[in-house]
Amino acid sequence: MSDFTLNILGCGSATPTPAHNPSSQVIDYRGNLFMIDCGEGAQCMMRRMRLQFSRLGHIFISHLHGDHCLGLPGLLSTLALHEKRGCVTVHLPAEGIGIMRSIADYFCRETPFEIKFIPIKGAGGVIYESASLTVEAFPLYHRVPCYGFVFREKPKQRHLRGDMVRFYNIPVSSLHGIKSGDDYITPDGTVIANARLTTPADPSRSYAYCSDTAFDTRVAEAVRGVDVLYHEATYHSSMAAQARERGHSTAAEAARIALLAGVKRLVIGHYSKRYTDVGVLVSDACANFNEVIPASEGLRIDI
Amino acid sequence: MSDFTLNILGCGSATPTPAHNPSSQVIDYRGNLFMIDCGEGAQCMMRRMRLQFSRLGHIFISHLHGDHCLGLPGLLSTLALHEKRGCVTVHLPAEGIGIMRSIADYFCRETPFEIKFIPIKGAGGVIYESASLTVEAFPLYHRVPCYGFVFREKPKQRHLRGDMVRFYNIPVSSLHGIKSGDDYITPDGTVIANARLTTPADPSRSYAYCSDTAFDTRVAEAVRGVDVLYHEATYHSSMAAQARERGHSTAAEAARIALLAGVKRLVIGHYSKRYTDVGVLVSDACANFNEVIPASEGLRIDI
């Protein structure tokens, strides 16, 4: 596996079915785990998929409907019980802070495990940043305040050419700048172009999560060019009116967003319980976009 | 199946494992469902075991540790979404009413589905009664206020002997009294003994649930003579000290309670995650009692 994977813990919708858990995913980026939504059963799926609790630092909740957040009470309670010295940060729409803090205060009160709640407000923006990754929240178009998330690797350093470094006898102190794109100036003042000293950086990868949302072209703007897009596909096109009315999308609409945004691959999920065979949703999406992957519990996708 | 069954939804302990869900059971009594404890995943298991949400009227929560009640938020949210016109009553230790009502108020606020919370206090007593069944709460001995539950069928009516009813030409108006044990007095004043007119009533069945609790002989008093006893067996006897310290029982202690109480069958569960093979716990229990059934997810037991 690569060092940037998407793990599907649940991809059903509001009603649990024997086939699908409610929404939850875990991004594993270089061994650090980031959870996106936490439907009931998320902690059990983490155990089943061997995603270690101790590596989970941040949880991003899209909105406060039960199928996207009611695995949190159990997960936080388990974390507090078993990772006593740790800390987790939960990012969620501001309106949910009160109730989630009440739950955490009640069920995690006996341990020093720290739970931070950070509100997501207004238009979102960058809500997490490390040396190599950012997570950005952006508005979705559902019945309640709801956010999508984009995970983007920061631009990477160029690769040094060892033969050139030796040839020009470049000191270690200059290497960092050269990896960042600087030219090298020799002691006699000659400028050696960066392109002679390096090969291009690996591309920066990106992943976007959009659930729940009605079809809206502003979503395509927000996720433009990502490598992998997860977009909800609650219904088949034959139920487009119901999708719109309930603030959801059809599979064909998810594919239109993928096409408009120029993404490489589309993962669909958040299936209505009426679809016991998600093949009809895949077909619906494939009319608009070629690279469609149906989510399923336990699926891992390299970003 | 009989009309009185125990359904095991979860029989693990505090930490979820790939093998076991946290505690939850459903008693199906003549088509009415009664849930005992509601660990996370209970609603999914109801779907998997085809136990219909619409038949669930009462939920009994033993105590407010997360592995016994943190499936409630998701279950109540689902009930409110899908059984909009219905009602469910949750019986739980008084200290948990505030937090559970906050959760229900937040996540079930958009529908007219009614959720009642009834506190269990002090020594418990009869907390539910219908024409044919009672549910009694009694104290267990754990680290926080905790209750066990006994489900008892009320005494049943004797069976009329059709041949005798015809022979004595007994009017319909007298039959109810005879089924309850009355003699019959003929129009000429002759007394016909009830034993000539009826055969004995079916025995009244009973089931008791004890989790979580340390070994305590008062528990045996509370569950005396039940047909089936579920008693927690978190540890093997080799960890008796830890069991006591944490307010839990060993499998051998569960069996001692079964023996002292004179029950017919013992079901053990609430296994610590350290036991990947529960056979060692069954063996531990069988040293003290013969009829030991290890609980497992999906198991149904006729009472």
Side-chain angles (χ1 to χ4, degrees):
Chain A
M1 290 306 257
S2 82
D3 60 357
F4 191 178
T5 62
L6 164 64
N7 299 268
I8 306 288
L9 278 56
C11 56
S13 59
T15 306
T17 69
H20 296 297
N21 293 333
S23 296
S24 186
Q25 305 187 349
V26 167
I27 293 292
D28 183 342
Y29 183 69
R30 299 184 178 175
N32 296 303
L33 304 186
F34 301 85
M35 180 175 278
I36 308 171
D37 280 341
C38 186
E40 190 178 336
Q43 63 165 328
C44 288
M45 282 301 296
M46 281 191 74
R47 301 280 298 200
R48 282 183 193 156
M49 295 183 75
R50 298 182 184 281
L51 297 163
Q52 291 169 23
F53 291 138
S54 59
R55 297 198 284 121
L56 178 63
H58 291 263
I59 301 172
F60 304 95
I61 300 294
S62 64
H63 66 298
L64 273 294
H65 280 160
D67 59 319
H68 292 256
C69 65
L70 283 180
L72 263 185
L75 174 63
L76 296 179
S77 167
T78 295
L79 289 173
L81 205 59
H82 294 279
E83 310 294 335
K84 293 186 172 63
R85 300 283 156 205
C87 169
V88 74
T89 302
V90 184
H91 308 257
L92 73 172
E95 58 160 8
I97 299 264
I99 184 68
M100 285 302 170
R101 176 158 300 290
S102 299
I103 294 171
D105 285 350
Y106 191 89
F107 288 101
C108 309
R109 67 188 182 275
E110 289 173 12
T111 76
F113 182 79
E114 190 185 359
I115 302 168
K116 292 181 193 162
F117 292 96
I118 310 267
I120 311 174
K121 296 180 194 168
V126 173
I127 56 174
Y128 168 86
E129 183 166 11
S130 72
S132 51
L133 188 75
T134 61
V135 180
E136 194 185 324
F138 59 93
L140 294 176
Y141 303 95
H142 194 43
R143 307 193 302 276
V144 297
C146 186
Y147 292 90
F149 303 104
V150 192
F151 289 66
R152 290 184 209 277
E153 279 187 308
K154 290 184 175 176
K156 295 177 181 174
Q157 294 196 308
R158 297 177 65 86
H159 297 285
L160 291 172
R161 288 183 54 183
D163 54 345
M164 290 294 122
V165 170
R166 284 188 295 276
F167 182 81
Y168 291 107
N169 201 19
I170 301 174
V172 170
S173 59
S174 298
L175 296 181
H176 183 76
I178 292 171
K179 286 196 280 188
S180 301
D182 294 349
D183 296 332
Y184 175 61
I185 302 170
T186 63
D188 66 5
T190 310
V191 174
I192 313 296
N194 185 279
R196 278 185 63 83
L197 304 174
T198 64
T199 54
D202 294 330
S204 294
R205 298 160 292 178
S206 51
Y207 169 69
Y209 175 88
C210 302
S211 185
D212 296 351
T213 189
F215 174 80
D216 194 297
T217 55
R218 286 170 290 182
V219 172
E221 289 309 312
V223 304
R224 179 157 305 289
V226 299
D227 293 291
V228 177
L229 167 67
Y230 176 90
H231 194 292
E232 72 130 290
T234 309
Y235 298 106
H236 181 266
S237 287
S238 58
M239 298 193 68
Q242 176 154 359
R244 175 142 302 272
E245 182 197 340
R246 300 194 55 74
H248 287 300
S249 301
T250 67
E253 288 170 338
R256 273 187 66 197
I257 295 293
L259 188 70
L260 284 168
V263 311
K264 295 207 181 84
R265 287 179 288 166
L266 169 66
V267 182
I268 59 170
H270 201 266
Y271 314 121
S272 161
K273 67 171 178 177
R274 77 193 62 225
Y275 304 107
T276 50
D277 172 11
V278 302
V280 297
L281 298 174
V282 174
S283 302
D284 196 38
C286 282
N288 290 339
F289 193 75
N290 285 329
E291 296 291 330
V292 177
I293 303 168
S296 61
E297 280 71 11
L299 182 68
R300 282 184 221 267
I301 296 173
D302 280 358
I303 303 296
Chain B
M1 289 306 254
S2 81
D3 61 357
F4 191 178
T5 62
L6 164 64
N7 299 267
I8 306 287
L9 279 58
C11 56
S13 59
T15 306
T17 69
H20 296 296
N21 293 331
S23 295
S24 186
Q25 305 186 348
V26 167
I27 294 292
D28 183 343
Y29 183 69
R30 299 183 177 175
N32 297 302
L33 303 186
F34 302 84
M35 181 176 277
I36 308 170
D37 280 341
C38 186
E40 190 178 337
Q43 62 165 327
C44 289
M45 282 301 295
M46 281 190 75
R47 301 280 299 198
R48 281 183 194 157
M49 294 183 75
R50 299 183 183 281
L51 297 163
Q52 291 170 22
F53 291 139
S54 59
R55 297 198 283 121
L56 178 63
H58 290 263
I59 301 172
F60 304 95
I61 300 294
S62 64
H63 66 298
L64 273 295
H65 279 159
D67 58 320
H68 291 256
C69 66
L70 284 180
L72 263 185
L75 174 63
L76 297 178
S77 167
T78 295
L79 289 173
L81 205 60
H82 294 279
E83 310 294 335
K84 293 186 173 63
R85 300 283 157 204
C87 168
V88 73
T89 303
V90 184
H91 308 257
L92 72 172
E95 58 160 9
I97 299 264
I99 184 69
M100 286 301 171
R101 175 157 300 289
S102 300
I103 294 171
D105 285 349
Y106 190 90
F107 288 101
C108 309
R109 67 189 183 276
E110 289 172 11
T111 76
F113 182 80
E114 190 184 357
I115 302 168
K116 291 182 195 162
F117 291 96
I118 310 267
I120 311 174
K121 296 179 195 168
V126 173
I127 56 174
Y128 169 85
E129 182 166 13
S130 72
S132 50
L133 189 74
T134 60
V135 180
E136 195 184 324
F138 59 93
L140 294 177
Y141 304 93
H142 194 43
R143 307 194 301 276
V144 297
C146 185
Y147 292 90
F149 303 104
V150 191
F151 289 66
R152 290 185 209 278
E153 279 187 308
K154 290 184 175 176
K156 296 177 181 173
Q157 293 195 307
R158 297 176 66 84
H159 298 285
L160 291 171
R161 288 183 54 182
D163 54 347
M164 291 293 121
V165 170
R166 284 188 296 276
F167 181 80
Y168 291 107
N169 201 19
I170 302 175
V172 170
S173 59
S174 299
L175 297 182
H176 183 76
I178 293 171
K179 286 195 281 187
S180 300
D182 294 349
D183 296 333
Y184 175 61
I185 301 170
T186 62
D188 66 6
T190 311
V191 175
I192 313 297
N194 185 278
R196 278 183 63 80
L197 305 172
T198 63
T199 54
D202 294 331
S204 293
R205 298 160 291 179
S206 51
Y207 169 69
Y209 174 88
C210 303
S211 185
D212 296 350
T213 188
F215 174 79
D216 194 298
T217 56
R218 286 169 290 182
V219 172
E221 289 309 312
V223 304
R224 179 158 305 288
V226 299
D227 293 291
V228 178
L229 167 66
Y230 176 90
H231 195 290
E232 71 130 292
T234 309
Y235 298 106
H236 182 268
S237 287
S238 58
M239 298 192 68
Q242 176 154 359
R244 176 142 302 273
E245 182 198 340
R246 300 194 56 73
H248 286 300
S249 300
T250 67
E253 289 169 337
R256 274 187 65 198
I257 295 292
L259 188 71
L260 284 169
V263 310
K264 295 207 182 84
R265 287 179 288 166
L266 168 66
V267 182
I268 58 170
H270 201 267
Y271 314 121
S272 161
K273 68 173 177 177
R274 78 193 62 225
Y275 304 106
T276 50
D277 172 12
V278 301
V280 296
L281 298 174
V282 174
S283 303
D284 196 38
C286 282
N288 289 340
F289 192 75
N290 285 328
E291 297 292 329
V292 177
I293 302 168
S296 62
E297 280 71 12
L299 182 68
R300 282 184 223 266
I301 296 174
D302 280 358
I303 302 297

